[in-house]
Amino acid sequence: MTGPDQPDIDFVARVTAEELRFSEAPESRVEFSGHPERDSASGSVRHNLPGSVDDGVTYRRIRVDYRIRSKIVEPARRRRRS
């Protein structure tokens, strides 16, 4: 994952499970919205869990490491009129 250097927020989470099964594969997405503007990135590293899971499949000994990095982008200063 790439992201801003020296982020204001650097959030890291790890999820583990002995077994995980989806009766219906979820749809997911990540959005960054609002103000002030930000330079943001997110990503995950999965172990024993594919990027796109299948309905009804049992995944074993899974681990997901997830990270969000975000830095507030200061608005450009307005030029003074002479």
Side-chain angles (χ1 to χ4, degrees):
M1 177 190 82
T2 60
D5 291 330
Q6 300 178 349
D8 295 310
I9 296 171
D10 192 2
F11 175 83
V12 180
R14 173 174 284 173
V15 176
T16 62
E18 285 299 316
E19 290 187 347
L20 181 62
R21 181 183 181 95
F22 296 93
S23 56
E24 184 176 323
E27 291 184 30
S28 64
R29 69 174 190 238
V30 176
E31 271 184 34
F32 298 97
S33 62
H35 296 285
E37 297 296 319
R38 290 159 317 285
D39 177 13
S40 302
S42 67
S44 65
V45 176
R46 296 170 176 223
H47 302 273
N48 296 328
L49 187 68
S52 181
V53 297
D54 293 318
D55 297 350
V57 174
T58 300
Y59 300 95
R60 291 182 171 77
R61 293 176 297 286
I62 66 106
R63 185 176 90 202
V64 178
D65 296 318
Y66 187 74
R67 186 173 200 171
I68 299 171
R69 295 179 65 136
S70 189
K71 182 173 182 72
I72 295 173
V73 176
E74 302 218 9
R77 294 183 180 186
R78 295 181 181 172
R79 294 184 181 178
R80 292 185 182 178
R81 295 183 182 182
S82 303

Coordinates of all heavy atoms in Angstrom, one line a residue:
M1 N 0.8 -1.2 0.0 CA 0.0 0.0 0.0 C 0.9 1.2 0.0 O 1.8 1.3 0.7 CB -0.9 0.0 1.2 CG -1.7 1.2 1.3 SD -2.6 1.5 2.9 CE -1.3 2.2 3.9
T2 N 0.6 2.2 -0.9 CA 1.2 3.4 -0.8 C 0.3 4.4 -0.1 O -0.9 4.1 0.1 CB 1.5 4.0 -2.2 OG1 0.3 4.1 -2.9 CG2 2.4 3.1 -3.0
G3 N 0.8 5.5 0.3 CA 0.0 6.5 1.1 C 0.9 7.7 1.4 O 2.0 7.7 1.0
P4 N 0.3 8.6 2.1 CA 1.0 9.8 2.4 C 2.2 9.6 3.4 O 2.1 8.7 4.2 CB -0.1 10.7 3.1 CG -1.1 9.7 3.6 CD -1.1 8.6 2.7
D5 N 3.2 10.4 3.2 CA 4.3 10.3 4.1 C 3.9 11.1 5.4 O 3.2 12.1 5.3 CB 5.6 11.0 3.5 CG 6.2 10.2 2.4 OD1 6.1 9.0 2.4 OD2 6.7 10.8 1.5
Q6 N 4.3 10.7 6.5 CA 4.0 11.3 7.8 C 2.5 11.6 7.9 O 2.1 12.7 8.0 CB 4.8 12.5 8.0 CG 6.3 12.3 8.0 CD 7.1 13.6 8.2 OE1 6.6 14.7 8.1 NE2 8.4 13.4 8.4
P7 N 1.7 10.5 7.9 CA 0.2 10.7 8.0 C -0.2 11.3 9.3 O 0.4 11.1 10.3 CB -0.3 9.3 7.8 CG 0.7 8.4 8.3 CD 2.0 9.1 7.9
D8 N -1.4 12.0 9.3 CA -2.0 12.5 10.5 C -2.7 11.3 11.2 O -2.7 11.3 12.5 CB -3.0 13.6 10.2 CG -2.4 14.8 9.7 OD1 -1.4 15.3 10.3 OD2 -2.8 15.3 8.6
I9 N -3.2 10.3 10.5 CA -3.8 9.1 11.0 C -3.1 7.9 10.3 O -3.0 7.9 9.1 CB -5.3 9.1 10.7 CG1 -6.0 10.3 11.4 CG2 -5.9 7.8 11.1 CD1 -7.5 10.4 11.0
D10 N -2.7 7.0 11.2 CA -2.2 5.7 10.7 C -2.8 4.6 11.5 O -2.4 4.4 12.6 CB -0.6 5.7 10.8 CG 0.0 4.6 10.0 OD1 -0.7 3.8 9.4 OD2 1.3 4.5 10.1
F11 N -3.8 4.0 11.0 CA -4.6 3.0 11.7 C -4.3 1.6 11.2 O -4.3 1.4 10.0 CB -6.1 3.3 11.4 CG -7.1 2.3 12.0 CD1 -7.4 2.4 13.4 CD2 -7.6 1.3 11.2 CE1 -8.3 1.5 13.9 CE2 -8.5 0.4 11.8 CZ -8.8 0.4 13.1
V12 N -4.0 0.7 12.1 CA -3.6 -0.6 11.7 C -4.5 -1.6 12.5 O -4.6 -1.4 13.7 CB -2.1 -0.9 12.0 CG1 -1.7 -2.3 11.6 CG2 -1.2 0.1 11.2
A13 N -5.0 -2.6 11.9 CA -5.8 -3.6 12.6 C -5.5 -5.0 12.0 O -5.1 -5.1 10.9 CB -7.3 -3.3 12.4
R14 N -5.6 -6.0 12.9 CA -5.4 -7.4 12.5 C -6.6 -8.2 13.0 O -7.0 -8.1 14.2 CB -4.1 -7.9 13.1 CG -4.0 -9.4 12.9 CD -2.7 -10.0 13.4 NE -1.7 -9.5 12.4 CZ -0.4 -9.7 12.6 NH1 0.1 -10.3 13.7 NH2 0.5 -9.3 11.7
V15 N -7.2 -9.0 12.1 CA -8.3 -9.9 12.4 C -7.8 -11.3 12.1 O -7.3 -11.6 11.1 CB -9.5 -9.5 11.6 CG1 -10.7 -10.5 11.8 CG2 -9.9 -8.1 11.8
T16 N -8.1 -12.2 13.1 CA -7.8 -13.6 12.9 C -9.0 -14.4 13.2 O -9.9 -14.0 13.9 CB -6.7 -14.1 13.8 OG1 -7.1 -13.9 15.2 CG2 -5.4 -13.3 13.6
A17 N -9.1 -15.6 12.6 CA -10.2 -16.6 12.8 C -9.7 -18.0 12.5 O -8.9 -18.2 11.6 CB -11.4 -16.2 12.0
E18 N -10.2 -18.9 13.3 CA -9.9 -20.3 13.0 C -10.7 -20.8 11.8 O -10.2 -21.5 10.9 CB -10.2 -21.2 14.2 CG -9.2 -21.1 15.3 CD -7.8 -21.5 14.9 OE1 -7.6 -22.6 14.2 OE2 -6.8 -20.8 15.2
E19 N -11.9 -20.3 11.7 CA -12.8 -20.6 10.6 C -13.7 -19.4 10.2 O -14.1 -18.7 11.1 CB -13.7 -21.8 10.9 CG -13.0 -23.1 11.0 CD -14.0 -24.3 11.1 OE1 -15.2 -24.1 11.3 OE2 -13.5 -25.4 11.0
L20 N -13.9 -19.2 8.9 CA -14.7 -18.1 8.5 C -15.5 -18.6 7.2 O -14.9 -19.2 6.3 CB -13.9 -16.9 8.1 CG -14.6 -15.7 7.6 CD1 -15.5 -15.1 8.7 CD2 -13.6 -14.6 7.2
R21 N -16.8 -18.4 7.3 CA -17.6 -18.9 6.2 C -18.6 -17.8 5.8 O -19.3 -17.3 6.7 CB -18.4 -20.2 6.6 CG -19.2 -20.8 5.5 CD -19.9 -22.0 6.1 NE -20.8 -22.7 5.1 CZ -20.4 -23.7 4.4 NH1 -19.2 -24.2 4.5 NH2 -21.3 -24.2 3.5
F22 N -18.8 -17.5 4.6 CA -19.8 -16.5 4.1 C -20.9 -17.3 3.4 O -20.7 -18.0 2.4 CB -19.2 -15.6 3.1 CG -18.0 -14.7 3.7 CD1 -16.7 -15.1 3.6 CD2 -18.3 -13.5 4.3 CE1 -15.7 -14.4 4.1 CE2 -17.3 -12.7 4.8 CZ -16.0 -13.2 4.7
S23 N -22.1 -17.1 3.9 CA -23.3 -17.7 3.2 C -23.5 -17.0 1.9 O -24.0 -17.6 0.9 CB -24.5 -17.7 4.1 OG -24.8 -16.4 4.5
E24 N -23.2 -15.7 1.9 CA -23.3 -14.9 0.7 C -22.1 -13.9 0.7 O -21.8 -13.2 1.7 CB -24.6 -14.1 0.7 CG -24.8 -13.2 -0.5 CD -26.1 -12.5 -0.5 OE1 -27.1 -13.1 0.0 OE2 -26.1 -11.4 -1.0
A25 N -21.3 -14.0 -0.3 CA -20.1 -13.1 -0.4 C -20.5 -11.6 -0.3 O -21.4 -11.2 -1.0 CB -19.4 -13.4 -1.7
P26 N -19.8 -10.9 0.6 CA -20.1 -9.5 0.8 C -19.6 -8.6 -0.3 O -18.6 -9.0 -1.0 CB -19.5 -9.2 2.1 CG -18.3 -10.1 2.2 CD -18.7 -11.4 1.5
E27 N -20.2 -7.5 -0.5 CA -19.7 -6.4 -1.4 C -19.2 -5.3 -0.5 O -19.9 -4.9 0.4 CB -20.8 -5.9 -2.3 CG -21.2 -6.9 -3.4 CD -22.3 -6.3 -4.3 OE1 -22.2 -5.0 -4.6 OE2 -23.1 -7.0 -4.8
S28 N -18.0 -4.9 -0.7 CA -17.4 -3.9 0.2 C -16.6 -2.9 -0.6 O -16.1 -3.2 -1.7 CB -16.5 -4.5 1.3 OG -15.4 -5.1 0.7
R29 N -16.4 -1.7 -0.1 CA -15.6 -0.6 -0.7 C -15.2 0.4 0.4 O -15.8 0.4 1.5 CB -16.3 0.1 -1.8 CG -17.5 0.9 -1.4 CD -18.0 1.7 -2.6 NE -19.0 2.7 -2.1 CZ -20.2 2.7 -2.5 NH1 -20.7 1.9 -3.3 NH2 -21.0 3.7 -2.0
V30 N -14.2 1.1 0.1 CA -13.7 2.1 1.1 C -13.8 3.5 0.4 O -13.3 3.6 -0.8 CB -12.2 1.8 1.5 CG1 -11.7 2.9 2.4 CG2 -12.1 0.5 2.2
E31 N -14.3 4.4 1.1 CA -14.5 5.8 0.5 C -13.9 6.8 1.5 O -14.2 6.6 2.7 CB -15.9 6.1 0.2 CG -16.4 5.8 -1.1 CD -17.8 6.3 -1.3 OE1 -18.2 7.3 -0.8 OE2 -18.6 5.5 -2.0
F32 N -13.3 7.8 1.1 CA -12.8 8.9 1.9 C -13.6 10.1 1.4 O -13.4 10.5 0.3 CB -11.3 9.1 1.8 CG -10.5 7.9 2.2 CD1 -10.1 7.0 1.3 CD2 -10.3 7.7 3.6 CE1 -9.3 5.9 1.7 CE2 -9.5 6.6 4.0 CZ -9.1 5.7 3.1
S33 N -14.4 10.7 2.3 CA -15.1 11.9 1.9 C -15.1 13.0 3.0 O -14.6 12.7 4.1 CB -16.6 11.5 1.6 OG -17.2 11.0 2.8
G34 N -15.6 14.1 2.7 CA -15.7 15.2 3.7 C -14.6 16.2 3.6 O -13.9 16.2 2.6
H35 N -14.6 17.1 4.5 CA -13.7 18.2 4.5 C -12.9 18.2 5.8 O -13.5 17.9 6.9 CB -14.4 19.5 4.3 CG -15.1 19.6 2.9 ND1 -14.4 19.8 1.8 CD2 -16.3 19.4 2.6 CE1 -15.2 19.8 0.8 NE2 -16.4 19.5 1.2
P36 N -11.7 18.7 5.9 CA -10.9 19.2 4.9 C -10.4 18.0 3.9 O -10.6 16.8 4.3 CB -9.7 19.8 5.6 CG -9.6 19.1 6.9 CD -11.0 18.7 7.2
E37 N -9.9 18.4 2.8 CA -9.4 17.4 1.9 C -8.3 16.6 2.5 O -7.5 17.1 3.4 CB -8.9 18.1 0.6 CG -9.9 18.9 -0.2 CD -11.0 17.9 -0.7 OE1 -10.7 16.8 -1.2 OE2 -12.2 18.3 -0.6
R38 N -8.1 15.3 2.0 CA -7.1 14.5 2.6 C -6.4 13.7 1.5 O -7.0 13.5 0.4 CB -7.7 13.4 3.5 CG -8.3 14.0 4.8 CD -9.3 13.1 5.4 NE -10.3 12.5 4.5 CZ -11.3 13.1 4.0 NH1 -11.5 14.4 4.2 NH2 -12.2 12.6 3.2
D39 N -5.2 13.3 1.7 CA -4.4 12.4 0.9 C -4.5 11.0 1.7 O -3.9 10.9 2.7 CB -3.0 12.8 0.7 CG -2.2 11.8 -0.1 OD1 -2.7 10.9 -0.7 OD2 -0.9 12.0 -0.1
S40 N -5.3 10.1 1.2 CA -5.6 8.9 2.0 C -5.4 7.6 1.1 O -5.5 7.6 -0.1 CB -7.0 8.9 2.4 OG -7.3 10.0 3.2
A41 N -5.1 6.5 1.8 CA -4.9 5.2 1.2 C -5.3 4.2 2.2 O -5.2 4.4 3.4 CB -3.5 5.0 0.7
S42 N -5.7 3.0 1.7 CA -6.0 1.9 2.5 C -5.7 0.6 1.8 O -5.7 0.6 0.6 CB -7.5 1.9 3.0 OG -8.3 1.6 1.9
G43 N -5.5 -0.4 2.5 CA -5.2 -1.7 1.9 C -5.1 -2.8 2.9 O -5.0 -2.6 4.1
S44 N -5.1 -4.1 2.4 CA -5.1 -5.2 3.3 C -4.1 -6.3 2.8 O -3.9 -6.3 1.6 CB -6.4 -5.8 3.5 OG -6.9 -6.3 2.3
V45 N -3.6 -7.1 3.7 CA -2.8 -8.2 3.3 C -3.6 -9.4 4.0 O -3.9 -9.4 5.2 CB -1.4 -8.2 3.9 CG1 -0.6 -9.4 3.7 CG2 -0.6 -7.0 3.4
R46 N -3.9 -10.4 3.1 CA -4.7 -11.5 3.6 C -3.9 -12.8 3.6 O -3.2 -13.0 2.6 CB -5.9 -11.7 2.7 CG -6.9 -10.5 2.7 CD -7.9 -10.6 1.6 NE -8.9 -9.6 1.6 CZ -10.2 -9.8 1.5 NH1 -10.7 -11.0 1.2 NH2 -11.0 -8.7 1.6
H47 N -4.1 -13.6 4.6 CA -3.5 -14.9 4.7 C -4.6 -16.0 4.7 O -5.5 -15.9 5.6 CB -2.6 -15.0 5.9 CG -1.6 -13.9 6.0 ND1 -0.3 -14.1 5.4 CD2 -1.6 -12.7 6.5 CE1 0.4 -13.0 5.6 NE2 -0.4 -12.1 6.2
N48 N -4.6 -16.9 3.8 CA -5.6 -18.0 3.7 C -7.0 -17.5 3.4 O -8.0 -18.1 3.7 CB -5.6 -18.9 4.9 CG -4.3 -19.6 5.1 OD1 -3.6 -19.9 4.1 ND2 -3.9 -19.8 6.3
L49 N -7.1 -16.3 2.8 CA -8.4 -15.7 2.4 C -8.2 -14.9 1.1 O -7.4 -14.0 1.1 CB -8.9 -14.7 3.5 CG -10.3 -14.2 3.4 CD1 -11.3 -15.3 3.5 CD2 -10.5 -13.1 4.4
P50 N -8.9 -15.4 0.1 CA -8.7 -14.7 -1.2 C -9.3 -13.3 -1.2 O -10.1 -13.0 -0.4 CB -9.4 -15.6 -2.2 CG -10.4 -16.3 -1.4 CD -9.8 -16.4 0.0
G51 N -8.9 -12.5 -2.2 CA -9.4 -11.1 -2.3 C -10.9 -11.1 -2.6 O -11.6 -10.2 -2.2
S52 N -11.4 -12.1 -3.3 CA -12.8 -12.3 -3.6 C -13.2 -13.6 -3.0 O -12.8 -14.7 -3.6 CB -13.0 -12.2 -5.1 OG -14.4 -12.3 -5.4
V53 N -14.0 -13.7 -2.0 CA -14.4 -14.9 -1.4 C -15.6 -15.5 -2.1 O -16.3 -14.9 -2.8 CB -14.8 -14.7 0.1 CG1 -13.6 -14.2 0.9 CG2 -16.0 -13.8 0.3
D54 N -15.8 -16.8 -1.9 CA -16.9 -17.6 -2.6 C -18.0 -17.9 -1.5 O -17.7 -18.1 -0.4 CB -16.4 -18.9 -3.2 CG -15.4 -18.6 -4.3 OD1 -15.7 -17.7 -5.1 OD2 -14.4 -19.3 -4.4
D55 N -19.2 -17.9 -2.0 CA -20.4 -18.3 -1.2 C -20.2 -19.7 -0.7 O -19.8 -20.6 -1.4 CB -21.7 -18.3 -2.0 CG -22.0 -16.9 -2.5 OD1 -21.4 -15.9 -2.1 OD2 -23.0 -16.8 -3.3
G56 N -20.5 -20.0 0.6 CA -20.5 -21.3 1.2 C -19.2 -22.0 1.4 O -19.1 -23.1 1.8
V57 N -18.1 -21.3 1.1 CA -16.7 -21.9 1.3 C -16.3 -21.6 2.7 O -16.4 -20.5 3.2 CB -15.7 -21.4 0.3 CG1 -14.3 -21.9 0.6 CG2 -16.2 -21.8 -1.1
T58 N -15.7 -22.6 3.4 CA -15.1 -22.4 4.8 C -13.6 -22.1 4.6 O -12.9 -23.0 4.0 CB -15.4 -23.6 5.7 OG1 -16.8 -23.7 5.8 CG2 -14.8 -23.3 7.1
Y59 N -13.2 -21.0 5.1 CA -11.7 -20.6 5.0 C -11.2 -20.9 6.4 O -11.8 -20.5 7.4 CB -11.6 -19.2 4.6 CG -12.1 -18.9 3.2 CD1 -13.4 -18.4 3.0 CD2 -11.4 -19.2 2.1 CE1 -13.9 -18.2 1.8 CE2 -11.9 -19.0 0.8 CZ -13.2 -18.5 0.7 OH -13.7 -18.3 -0.6
R60 N -10.0 -21.4 6.5 CA -9.4 -21.8 7.8 C -8.2 -21.1 8.1 O -7.4 -20.8 7.2 CB -9.2 -23.3 7.9 CG -10.5 -24.1 7.9 CD -10.3 -25.6 8.0 NE -11.6 -26.2 8.2 CZ -12.5 -26.5 7.3 NH1 -12.3 -26.1 6.1 NH2 -13.6 -27.1 7.6
R61 N -7.9 -20.8 9.4 CA -6.7 -20.1 9.9 C -6.4 -18.9 9.1 O -5.4 -18.7 8.5 CB -5.6 -21.1 9.9 CG -5.7 -22.2 10.9 CD -4.6 -23.2 10.9 NE -4.5 -24.0 9.6 CZ -5.3 -24.9 9.2 NH1 -6.4 -25.3 10.0 NH2 -5.2 -25.6 8.1
I62 N -7.4 -18.0 9.1 CA -7.3 -16.7 8.3 C -6.7 -15.6 9.1 O -6.8 -15.6 10.3 CB -8.6 -16.3 7.6 CG1 -9.7 -15.9 8.7 CG2 -9.2 -17.4 6.7 CD1 -9.9 -14.4 8.7
R63 N -6.1 -14.7 8.4 CA -5.6 -13.5 9.1 C -5.7 -12.4 8.0 O -5.3 -12.5 6.9 CB -4.2 -13.6 9.5 CG -3.7 -12.4 10.3 CD -2.3 -12.6 10.9 NE -1.4 -12.1 9.9 CZ -0.1 -12.4 9.8 NH1 0.4 -13.3 10.6 NH2 0.7 -11.9 8.9
V64 N -6.2 -11.2 8.5 CA -6.3 -10.0 7.6 C -5.6 -8.9 8.4 O -6.0 -8.5 9.5 CB -7.7 -9.7 7.2 CG1 -7.7 -8.4 6.4 CG2 -8.4 -10.8 6.5
D65 N -4.6 -8.3 7.8 CA -3.9 -7.1 8.3 C -4.4 -5.9 7.4 O -4.3 -6.0 6.2 CB -2.4 -7.2 8.2 CG -1.9 -8.3 9.1 OD1 -2.4 -8.5 10.2 OD2 -1.0 -9.0 8.6
Y66 N -5.0 -4.9 8.1 CA -5.6 -3.8 7.3 C -5.0 -2.5 7.8 O -4.8 -2.3 9.0 CB -7.2 -3.8 7.6 CG -7.9 -2.8 6.7 CD1 -8.1 -3.0 5.4 CD2 -8.4 -1.6 7.3 CE1 -8.7 -2.1 4.6 CE2 -9.1 -0.7 6.5 CZ -9.2 -1.0 5.2 OH -9.9 -0.1 4.4
R67 N -4.8 -1.6 6.9 CA -4.2 -0.3 7.3 C -4.8 0.8 6.5 O -5.2 0.7 5.3 CB -2.7 -0.4 6.9 CG -1.9 0.9 7.4 CD -0.5 0.7 7.2 NE 0.3 1.6 8.0 CZ 1.6 1.5 8.2 NH1 2.3 0.6 7.5 NH2 2.2 2.4 8.9
I68 N -5.1 1.9 7.2 CA -5.5 3.2 6.7 C -4.5 4.3 7.0 O -4.2 4.4 8.2 CB -6.9 3.6 7.2 CG1 -8.0 2.5 6.9 CG2 -7.3 5.0 6.7 CD1 -9.3 2.7 7.6
R69 N -4.1 5.0 6.0 CA -3.2 6.2 6.3 C -3.9 7.4 5.7 O -4.4 7.4 4.5 CB -1.9 6.0 5.6 CG -1.1 4.8 6.2 CD 0.2 4.6 5.5 NE 1.0 5.8 5.7 CZ 2.3 5.8 6.0 NH1 2.9 4.6 6.1 NH2 2.9 6.9 6.3
S70 N -3.9 8.5 6.4 CA -4.5 9.7 5.9 C -3.8 11.0 6.4 O -3.4 11.0 7.6 CB -6.0 9.8 6.3 OG -6.7 10.8 5.7
K71 N -3.6 11.9 5.5 CA -3.0 13.2 5.9 C -3.9 14.3 5.4 O -4.3 14.3 4.3 CB -1.6 13.3 5.3 CG -0.9 14.6 5.6 CD 0.6 14.5 5.1 CE 1.3 15.7 5.5 NZ 1.7 15.8 6.9
I72 N -4.1 15.3 6.3 CA -4.9 16.5 5.9 C -4.1 17.3 4.9 O -2.9 17.6 5.1 CB -5.3 17.3 7.1 CG1 -6.3 16.5 8.0 CG2 -6.0 18.6 6.7 CD1 -6.6 17.1 9.3
V73 N -4.7 17.7 3.8 CA -4.1 18.5 2.8 C -4.6 19.9 3.0 O -5.8 20.2 2.9 CB -4.5 18.0 1.4 CG1 -3.9 18.9 0.3 CG2 -4.0 16.6 1.2
E74 N -3.6 20.8 3.3 CA -4.0 22.2 3.5 C -4.4 22.9 2.2 O -3.7 22.6 1.2 CB -2.8 22.9 4.2 CG -2.4 22.2 5.5 CD -2.0 23.2 6.5 OE1 -2.2 24.4 6.3 OE2 -1.5 22.7 7.5
P75 N -5.4 23.7 2.2 CA -5.8 24.3 0.9 C -4.8 25.3 0.5 O -4.1 25.9 1.3 CB -7.1 25.0 1.3 CG -7.2 25.1 2.8 CD -6.3 24.0 3.3
A76 N -4.6 25.4 -0.8 CA -3.7 26.4 -1.4 C -4.0 27.8 -0.9 O -5.2 28.2 -0.9 CB -3.6 26.3 -2.9
R77 N -3.0 28.5 -0.5 CA -3.2 29.9 -0.1 C -3.6 30.8 -1.3 O -3.1 30.6 -2.4 CB -2.0 30.5 0.5 CG -1.6 29.7 1.8 CD -0.5 30.4 2.5 NE -0.1 29.7 3.7 CZ 0.8 30.1 4.6 NH1 1.5 31.1 4.3 NH2 1.0 29.4 5.6
R78 N -4.6 31.6 -1.0 CA -5.0 32.5 -2.1 C -4.0 33.6 -2.4 O -3.4 34.1 -1.4 CB -6.3 33.2 -1.7 CG -7.5 32.2 -1.6 CD -8.7 32.9 -1.2 NE -9.8 31.9 -1.1 CZ -11.0 32.2 -0.7 NH1 -11.3 33.5 -0.3 NH2 -11.9 31.3 -0.6
R79 N -3.8 33.9 -3.6 CA -2.8 34.9 -4.0 C -3.4 36.3 -3.7 O -4.6 36.5 -4.0 CB -2.5 34.8 -5.5 CG -1.7 33.5 -5.8 CD -1.4 33.5 -7.2 NE -0.7 32.3 -7.6 CZ -0.2 32.0 -8.8 NH1 -0.4 32.8 -9.8 NH2 0.4 30.8 -8.9
R80 N -2.6 37.1 -3.2 CA -3.0 38.5 -2.9 C -3.0 39.3 -4.2 O -2.1 39.2 -5.0 CB -2.1 39.2 -1.9 CG -2.2 38.6 -0.5 CD -1.4 39.3 0.4 NE -1.5 38.7 1.8 CZ -0.8 39.2 2.8 NH1 0.0 40.2 2.7 NH2 -0.9 38.6 3.9
R81 N -4.0 40.1 -4.4 CA -4.1 41.0 -5.6 C -3.3 42.3 -5.3 O -3.4 42.8 -4.2 CB -5.5 41.3 -5.9 CG -6.3 40.1 -6.4 CD -7.7 40.4 -6.8 NE -8.4 39.2 -7.1 CZ -9.6 39.2 -7.6 NH1 -10.3 40.3 -7.7 NH2 -10.2 38.0 -7.9
S82 N -2.5 42.7 -6.2 CA -1.7 43.9 -6.0 C -2.5 45.1 -6.5 O -3.3 45.1 -7.3 CB -0.5 43.9 -6.9 OG 0.3 42.8 -6.5

